[in-house]
Amino acid sequence: MLISLCEIFTVGAFPLDADTRKGFTAVHIAAIVATIWILFLNSLVGFQLLDDGTPVSLGLLLGSAAALFIGTGYIALDTGFGWTGYWNDSLPGRGNGQNRHIALYVLYQLLPLVCLFFFFVLESVLVLRVLGERKPMLYLVAAMLLFALGQIFDYVVSTHICQNVNGNINGAMFETLFTLLSVVMIWVFWVSCAPYFSHISRTAGANEV
């Protein structure tokens, strides 16, 4: 919800002054990083490295996500408002002069990509090897394809759309749509896995008795 709200003011044409847009952009970037990190950690839950729902597991999940949110948000805000001047060399007209921000690039582009890759791999192992099922993989693959399609619209097709409609719309609209559909498919994937986990839990309980 927070990401969707911020997208209205960052990638949309909503009229805002520059400082307000910088604030929403920082929150938007931080929320994306934290959310994908939580998604990755959720892929570890099924392997029971820690008991699910315990104070320790919830503390590690929420604490690490909060650290990423605050850290990424601070870097983005400090870059936009120049509070310390530490990141000024990444701005146009200074340093490399091309908005090449290494820290934000790693946090906003590389880290989410790595997390999504391992999420897909770990969930695939969980479904195919642990649960011994194939049907949930259809939803997981569909989610990954929809997400990839959204990124293609955002990074590749967007320029061509803008040129043909005089900048009235761009690929961000389609990227948001396909990302939303991808999230829906992840939810369907988890719902489809629930009966198999329940069956395994009942079987394990019966064996203990």
Side-chain angles (χ1 to χ4, degrees), residues 1-205:
M1 183 64 71
L2 179 61
I3 294 175
S4 298
L5 176 64
C6 289
E7 282 185 338
I8 297 174
F9 303 107
T10 55
V11 301
F14 200 89
L16 290 174
D17 64 83
D19 287 346
T20 303
R21 194 177 299 278
K22 291 176 185 177
F24 275 110
T25 300
V27 174
H28 186 199
I29 293 173
I32 289 175
V33 173
T35 300
I36 294 183
W37 175 251
I38 291 174
L39 184 67
F40 162 67
L41 292 183
N42 271 305
S43 67
L44 299 173
V45 171
F47 294 93
Q48 293 296 300
L49 300 177
L50 289 173
D51 290 336
D52 185 24
T54 62
V56 174
S57 63
L58 290 176
L60 288 173
L61 187 150
L62 296 177
S64 59
L68 278 173
F69 180 87
I70 294 172
T72 304
Y74 169 76
I75 292 174
L77 287 171
D78 193 10
T79 301
F81 292 99
W83 293 331
T84 65
Y86 184 82
W87 312 101
N88 286 351
D89 61 348
S90 67
L91 301 176
R94 306 180 187 180
N96 55 54
Q98 298 295 325
N99 280 327
R100 293 176 181 170
H101 199 305
I102 303 301
L104 284 181
Y105 176 76
V106 171
L107 289 169
Y108 179 52
Q109 300 287 338
L110 294 186
L111 178 62
L113 185 62
V114 171
C115 287
L116 288 174
F117 171 77
F118 280 107
F119 171 81
F120 180 80
V121 171
L122 291 171
E123 292 289 11
S124 298
V125 171
L126 184 66
V127 171
L128 297 175
R129 299 294 296 274
V130 178
L131 301 182
E133 298 294 333
R134 289 194 175 95
K135 183 179 178 181
M137 286 300 299
L138 296 175
Y139 307 120
L140 182 62
V141 171
M144 294 297 104
L145 290 176
L146 286 168
F147 178 80
L149 190 58
Q151 299 307 300
I152 291 172
F153 267 97
D154 196 27
Y155 289 100
V156 179
V157 183
S158 183
T159 301
H160 304 288
I161 295 175
C162 284
Q163 290 175 350
N164 291 328
V165 297
N166 296 321
N168 293 320
I169 61 173
N170 57 29
M173 180 182 72
F174 298 98
E175 183 268 338
T176 301
L177 172 63
F178 285 116
T179 300
L180 176 61
L181 293 175
S182 176
V183 171
V184 171
M185 292 309 298
I186 290 293
W187 178 80
V188 173
F189 165 74
W190 278 333
V191 170
S192 70
C193 289
Y196 304 113
F197 280 115
S198 298
H199 174 70
I200 290 176
S201 298
R202 289 194 300 269
T203 303

